Amino acid sequence: MGVRTAAQVGHRALGDADALPLGDHHLGTLTGVALLGRPLHDDEIEPFRPHRHRVLRFLELTPGAAPRRGPRSPRAGPLH
């Protein structure tokens, strides 16, 4: 079992509010852009302890908190 899986099991099955799967790029981006306007690194999420996973989950459920994907390129025309 990897670090991410252990953190997910810790939060979902055991109720650990601080079980955060560190190393995922999208976590720092989501948290940082929503709260500070810039992506964060894993060590910058430390001030949210002991509720790091709760903070992340609230941000995931907030519409428009952070961009979910990059801009799409325009289509050249209809595909035939």
Side-chain angles (χ1 to χ4, degrees), residues 38-74:
R38 65 176 177 83
L40 296 175
H41 297 287
D42 286 344
D43 56 346
E44 293 179 296
I45 300 175
E46 190 65 29
F48 300 112
R49 184 180 287 269
H51 300 285
R52 294 181 296 176
H53 197 280
R54 280 194 185 134
V55 168
L56 178 68
R57 190 68 182 134
F58 285 138
L59 292 175
E60 286 176 340
L61 296 173
T62 303
R68 294 183 57 112
R69 59 182 79 77
R72 296 183 183 188
S73 61

Side-chain angles (χ1 to χ4, degrees), residues 1-21:
M1 180 180 339
V3 175
R4 178 175 166 73
T5 304
Q8 291 295 333
V9 169
H11 175 71
R12 297 184 194 280
L14 304 174
D16 184 1
D18 195 48
L20 189 67

